[in-house]
Structure formats: C-alpha cells, structure tokens
Amino acid sequence: MEEEIRAEFESSGFSIGGADPGAAAEILSTLLTYCINYKMSPADLVSNWEVYYLNRQLNGLKLESSYLDGFLSHLQNEVKDRIIKEETSLHIYSSNDVDMLLSSTHTDEEGFLDTPSTKQEKPNGESCNSELTPLTTDRPSSSRLAKTNGDRITPFSQRVNKFTQQYVLNSDNVASVPSKDEIESTEDEVIRRVQPSKRCTLQVQRSQPEPGCRFMYDRIEDRFNYLEDRIRRSGSLFSASGLCGEPADATLASEESMFSVGMVICDGEGHLNEKSILLQGSVEHSRGQRVRLDLKDVDRFSLFPGQVVGIQGHNPSGHCFVVSKLNDSIPNFVDAQLPRAKKQAVDSEGNQSSDVVSRVLSSMGPFIDSDHPEIKKGAVDQSFQDIFLFEILRKLQDFTQYLGHNVRVILIPSVRDAHHDFVFPQPAFDLNLPEDITHQIHFGCCTMDILKHLSGEEISRKPPGEKHGDRIGRICTHILKQQSYYPLYPPPAGVPLDFSLANGALEIASAPDVLLLPSDLAPFVKVLSLDESSEEPKRFICMNPGRLAKGIGGGTFVELNYNEDTDKTSASLIRI
C-alpha cells in the first residue's frame, strides 16, 4: 500500500522525501498510518493533501516531513467536520464555547444575530444553529413572520460588530500590512468608506439558462454536441489567428510536422498523468478519434481533462503523437482589437471624472445552504423560500435603504442553495420583489467551485532549475484561456452539469477586467496576465473572496476599489 500511496502522489506531480530514501520511507510509513487511522484510500489521501497544499500555499512539489504535523491537523479537522454532518445531534466543544462562557458581554451577539455561533441557549430563549443565521423560531403566520423579522434586523447605523482588515493588495500583487488605524473598523465604517455618488447601470451580457427552464433532460447527443462545438470553435479561432495553419488529423501517421487541435482526455479512470494523456480531435478533422501524446520534448505544460489545446509535432507510427510545441491559450482574448468587457457589462453612462463613485455589491450563494444540519434533518418550520425572503432579502433591503438608491446589488445563486434549482449552469433567481427595491437588486446566474475541482485534476511540468510558480494563479488563467467558466470534463461526482443547457451558457465571450471565483480554498486577490510573452499582456483581477461564514466563526469578504484599470485598483481582504 505504501507503493500505491507513492504512485498516487507522483501521478499528481508530488515527490516524497526528495533524494533521501530513509526520509521517504519514514514519510510513507506515516502516510500509511493516516490511511489506516482515518479509513482513506491513497487517492483520498492525495486529494486531502492537495487541498491542504493549496490552502497553505506551500512552495514546491515535494512532501517533506516538516509538513506532516500540519497535514495531520487538517485530516483531523476534516474527520471532525464529517462526524458533525453525520451526527447532527453531536456537539464538539471548542475554544469558542469557553470564550462564550467566560465572557460577560453579550450585547454584540444580541444586536447582530447574523454572526454564526454554536447552538447555545440565548437569554430570550432562542437557539441559534451553526453555519447559518437562525432558522427555527416560533412563527405561526406569514404576517407575524414579516413583522418579527423586520423587528430583528439591526439597522446598519447601530451595529458594532468588528471587521479585521487582513491585507491590502496593489496591482503588482504585493500585499501590504494595513496601518494600525486600519486594522480594525466597525461594520458601519466599512459601509461608509465609499459612498456612491452616481448610480451605475448594469447591462446583462449573457444570462442563460432562463428562469423556469427545463432541466435533467440532457441526452448523449447533447453531451457530444457540447464537446464537439468546443473543439471545432477552438480550431477555427486558432486558424483565424494566423499563428498556425489549418488543423490536421493527429491520428494519421506522418513524419512531417503538423498542427492539430483537440481536447485533453485521460485514457482511464483516476487522475491524469504524463503516461495517460490522450488528445481527442473533432469529427470534422479526425472523426472524433483519440491519439496518445508524447510530451518528452515539451519543457513546460499545464494540463487537465477537458482542456482544448493546439499542438505542433508529428506522428511517426500513427499511434503516438510526439509534441514539439503546445499552446493552451485559445487565441481570442489576447487580441488588442477586442472591446473591453467592462464597456459591455457596466456602462457608466458617459465619461465620468475620477471623483465619481459607483458601488455594486456582489453577493454569492449559498444563501440557504443545503449542507446546513437543520436543513438536512428537515427541522425548519418554514419554507426555504420564506427563509430566503425574510433572512436575506429583507436585510438587503435594509442595506440599500441605508446607502441610498445609487447602490446596486447582484445576487448569484449556488447549486448548494436549497431553495433553488439543482442544476449547472444555473438559472437566475426568479422572485417577485417589493417595488421599492426591484430597481436596485439584480440576480446573477451561477457559482461553482471550479478552482477546487481544477486543482485536483491539473498536472504540470516546469524547466529544470526554475522556481515553482503560482499554481493558483495558473489555474485561474486557465478559465480565461479556455474561454469557459467550467472547462473541466468530465466533471467530478456531484456536479449536476446539464449539457443541454451548457452550450453557450458557460462560454466567456470576452475577457473580463475582474473575475470572481468563489471557492472553499484559501481566499485571495491577484493581478494576473493572460499572455506574458506579448508586449502589452492583458491584465485582469482575479479574486476568491472566501465564505462569509466558516463553521461556527466568521469568514472573509473582499472590498475592491476599481478605477478604470488594474494599475489604479486596490483591494482589501477583510476577515469578520
């Protein structure tokens, strides 16, 4: 089993213990103990290691003994979380319980009921569930429900909950420590920091599928058409760029150099590795056949299943294509003639001076988390739609009233929202809002943890001696290089990808200035480039704001001050 563990780590690009065989044997023995104690397969162990590796932002791809203690703590936390989800009546005590018992001040907790807390008795007899706002209270009627929730909302001007600014990022990806005066600020100060002086208008560039669409009816034909359209469209863009010729059939035996376009496929179950890489061509050029790729002559690559690439090389035997050059960026976004996406998505109605400020709040689900223990038990005494209306929308109404009519709000659902359609891509919320907030609150389309999914499937190679790069940044650029919000195929188990809705809905039509990728991985804000080799590479801001609530504690969000381009933009990652 130790050899299986070693093989799984190596297939994901990690080495164990370096050149010292004694250290490697000791690490493998410890990893074997982890597998036995926590009832994990080698593949499960590697998946947990990848999450730990990315969250801790470790350097290098070598698993050293110094990492084992931290990795063990991560595994213990994962097991504890799993037990809590399975045993909903079980409470595991932590330092938060001790702090609550020792603290004599409960005014903040009573005044701001949104803060996640453990399930404990309140002075007024209410109980509060972990991970979400309270879901079970005595509410006999809808009219009383509306009045009760309205009374419970604490106005923004009276809240005293503290926010902590973790770091400020500038356009050069340099994180600076905030000053002492900036480290802690009240919620009201954060809200007042940038008051909108002019209302921005929002233009929806693409919103598919439509609310009320039919799903769970996709066929094998829909899956085939989706994959074929991606390959064929990418081949047309490669040809139109003038950087290469017309795509050829990579499966034909030839000693001459040829260019081909296809999709990266794994030749079996399990993770992709250098020995299992296949290229599937289009029906037009290769009848949809596959050929094995030999990447021995390529000193740098980053690949994952479902990625569409252009390759240069030859196929001497007809069974294996020897690659001399690999291009993983579909040529479209790097074209300087393309209009800027922000001109299509956010129209500021004419030229604005630098002192004109518009504010948009983007709030991403899940709002009514289907993983919440009370929802999983069916212990709530009201519909999910009522919970969303009174616990979420009423608070947003309070927010918009406080900041005035210039603020705009975008709500983006999640497949984990219990009150919304469980399908990906996901339609927008379809709600009848009060007339006074209809013009301020808008509904976006979908969130999916593509970063976490890609991080478990991507393999890469770098030239010998080169320092390890930014893996998270590299994964983020794949989204735009592939011009798809979800380029991974096949999707992991549990992702309800409907191919009858995916064609067009997941396509990124033009390069954005800001890319939001909410994920369970560690939050970040980065300034990235699409093509470093060009004289003026397209730069964009990519951020994972994290989750507002993490377990029984507060989470994080991002405050972004965007001003025309990345050089004039700053961002703050703020922890609650």
Side-chain angles (χ1 to χ4, degrees), residues 213-229:
C213 66
R214 190 179 77 161
F215 56 92
M216 294 180 64
Y217 287 93
D218 59 335
R219 304 160 296 175
I220 297 296
E221 181 183 355
D222 296 318
R223 184 182 300 246
F224 166 79
N225 289 335
Y226 171 72
L227 299 177
E228 176 67 14
D229 286 348

Side-chain angles (χ1 to χ4, degrees), residues 368-413:
I368 312 300
D369 197 343
S370 57
D371 288 338
H372 190 287
E374 295 300 305
I375 290 179
K376 294 175 74 173
K377 287 192 302 182
V380 295
D381 60 355
Q382 41 182 317
S383 70
F384 299 146
Q385 200 70 23
D386 283 345
I387 298 173
F388 179 69
L389 178 61
F390 295 114
E391 298 288 353
I392 305 298
L393 292 185
R394 287 290 299 273
K395 291 179 174 64
L396 286 175
Q397 183 180 8
D398 176 49
F399 168 78
T400 56
Q401 289 174 347
Y402 179 74
L403 278 184
H405 293 293
N406 288 333
V407 70
R408 308 298 290 269
V409 179
I410 301 175
L411 296 185
I412 306 175

Side-chain angles (χ1 to χ4, degrees), residues 26 83 102 108 212 252 309 315 360 368 425 459 477 484 552 569-571 573:
E26 183 177 349
I83 291 175
L102 294 179
D108 286 2
L252 296 179
V309 297
N315 188 350
V360 178
I368 312 300
I459 63 170
T477 59
S484 171
I552 61 174
T569 298
S570 64
L573 180 62

Side-chain angles (χ1 to χ4, degrees), residues 103-276:
S103 175
S104 60
T105 304
H106 301 287
T107 55
D108 286 2
E109 187 174 355
E110 294 172 7
F112 190 49
L113 295 178
D114 296 6
T115 305
S117 60
T118 54
K119 190 173 184 180
Q120 48 194 294
E121 198 69 24
K122 296 291 180 106
N124 59 3
E126 292 183 347
S127 63
C128 184
N129 303 305
S130 63
E131 299 183 28
L132 282 181
T133 49
L135 298 179
T136 54
T137 53
D138 296 329
R139 297 171 182 170
S141 67
S142 298
S143 59
R144 182 182 170 189
L145 176 65
K147 183 178 185 301
T148 303
N149 279 276
D151 294 341
R152 282 177 54 193
I153 296 177
T154 305
F156 279 95
S157 57
Q158 299 178 14
R159 297 181 183 175
V160 295
N161 201 56
K162 291 292 181 68
F163 287 166
T164 301
Q165 189 164 319
Q166 189 167 345
Y167 65 77
V168 180
L169 191 84
N170 59 27
S171 61
D172 296 322
N173 277 344
V174 178
S176 60
V177 179
S179 63
K180 184 177 181 180
D181 295 335
E182 296 175 324
I183 288 179
E184 284 196 354
S185 58
T186 65
E187 177 182 287
D188 197 39
E189 290 169 352
V190 172
I191 297 297
R192 285 199 183 101
R193 192 173 296 163
V194 181
Q195 287 284 356
S197 60
K198 185 172 182 178
R199 182 185 177 196
C200 67
T201 60
L202 297 179
Q203 177 184 348
V204 178
Q205 199 171 5
R206 175 179 285 106
S207 180
Q208 296 178 359
E210 297 294 333
C213 66
R214 190 179 77 161
F215 56 92
M216 294 180 64
Y217 287 93
D218 59 335
R219 304 160 296 175
I220 297 296
E221 181 183 355
D222 296 318
R223 184 182 300 246
F224 166 79
N225 289 335
Y226 171 72
L227 299 177
E228 176 67 14
D229 286 348
R230 279 191 62 198
I231 300 173
R232 188 171 54 211
R233 175 180 173 272
S234 301
S236 300
L237 291 173
F238 272 110
S239 298
S241 68
L243 302 175
C244 49
E246 189 71 19
D249 184 0
T251 65
L252 296 179
S254 174
E255 290 289 350
E256 295 183 359
S257 179
M258 69 178 80
F259 174 78
S260 186
V261 176
M263 180 175 289
V264 174
I265 301 292
C266 184
D267 71 349
E269 296 182 0
H271 292 292
L272 193 70
N273 59 67
E274 293 187 25
K275 303 297 183 182
S276 65

Side-chain angles (χ1 to χ4, degrees), residues 350-371:
N351 296 326
Q352 296 184 2
S353 60
S354 59
D355 58 345
V356 174
V357 177
S358 298
R359 167 158 289 206
V360 178
L361 169 68
S362 295
S363 186
M364 295 169 283
F367 300 98
I368 312 300
D369 197 343
S370 57
D371 288 338

Side-chain angles (χ1 to χ4, degrees), residues 215-496:
F215 56 92
M216 294 180 64
Y217 287 93
D218 59 335
R219 304 160 296 175
I220 297 296
E221 181 183 355
D222 296 318
R223 184 182 300 246
F224 166 79
N225 289 335
Y226 171 72
L227 299 177
E228 176 67 14
D229 286 348
R230 279 191 62 198
I231 300 173
R232 188 171 54 211
R233 175 180 173 272
S234 301
S236 300
L237 291 173
F238 272 110
S239 298
S241 68
L243 302 175
C244 49
E246 189 71 19
D249 184 0
T251 65
L252 296 179
S254 174
E255 290 289 350
E256 295 183 359
S257 179
M258 69 178 80
F259 174 78
S260 186
V261 176
M263 180 175 289
V264 174
I265 301 292
C266 184
D267 71 349
E269 296 182 0
H271 292 292
L272 193 70
N273 59 67
E274 293 187 25
K275 303 297 183 182
S276 65
I277 303 174
L278 303 179
L279 186 79
Q280 176 175 315
S282 66
V283 173
E284 178 184 2
H285 293 106
S286 63
R287 305 167 303 284
Q289 294 186 7
R290 300 175 177 180
V291 65
R292 188 172 301 279
L293 296 185
D294 184 349
L295 299 173
K296 63 182 180 181
D297 296 331
V298 181
D299 61 352
R300 183 196 305 276
F301 62 78
S302 174
L303 300 174
F304 59 88
Q307 182 181 22
V308 179
V309 297
I311 56 173
Q312 189 79 33
H314 63 287
N315 188 350
S317 64
H319 302 290
C320 184
F321 191 98
V322 181
V323 182
S324 59
K325 184 179 180 181
L326 187 147
N327 190 343
D328 63 356
S329 181
I330 300 173
N332 187 10
F333 290 161
V334 294
D335 187 354
Q337 302 301 319
L338 284 176
R340 294 180 67 82
K342 70 165 183 275
K343 292 181 180 178
Q344 302 176 23
V346 181
D347 177 17
S348 58
E349 295 180 320
N351 296 326
Q352 296 184 2
S353 60
S354 59
D355 58 345
V356 174
V357 177
S358 298
R359 167 158 289 206
V360 178
L361 169 68
S362 295
S363 186
M364 295 169 283
F367 300 98
I368 312 300
D369 197 343
S370 57
D371 288 338
H372 190 287
E374 295 300 305
I375 290 179
K376 294 175 74 173
K377 287 192 302 182
V380 295
D381 60 355
Q382 41 182 317
S383 70
F384 299 146
Q385 200 70 23
D386 283 345
I387 298 173
F388 179 69
L389 178 61
F390 295 114
E391 298 288 353
I392 305 298
L393 292 185
R394 287 290 299 273
K395 291 179 174 64
L396 286 175
Q397 183 180 8
D398 176 49
F399 168 78
T400 56
Q401 289 174 347
Y402 179 74
L403 278 184
H405 293 293
N406 288 333
V407 70
R408 308 298 290 269
V409 179
I410 301 175
L411 296 185
I412 306 175
S414 165
V415 293
R416 281 166 50 186
D417 273 312
H419 67 299
H420 200 42
D421 297 333
F422 182 70
V423 63
F424 180 71
Q426 196 172 25
F429 289 127
D430 187 15
L431 298 173
N432 296 319
L433 294 176
E435 187 176 349
D436 58 336
I437 61 172
T438 301
H439 67 284
Q440 286 183 272
I441 298 183
H442 304 263
F443 301 107
C445 275
C446 199
T447 57
M448 181 60 72
D449 200 343
I450 181 61
L451 289 182
K452 187 175 181 180
H453 297 166
L454 277 182
S455 68
E457 299 293 340
E458 184 241 18
I459 63 170
S460 63
R461 177 194 292 170
K462 63 178 184 62
E466 182 179 296
K467 293 183 179 179
H468 294 284
D470 178 10
R471 187 172 188 235
I472 286 292
R474 184 174 69 238
I475 292 175
C476 293
T477 59
H478 279 313
I479 308 296
L480 295 189
K481 286 181 176 180
Q482 292 293 296
Q483 303 176 20
S484 171
Y485 288 108
Y486 201 87
L488 182 65
Y489 178 82
V495 175

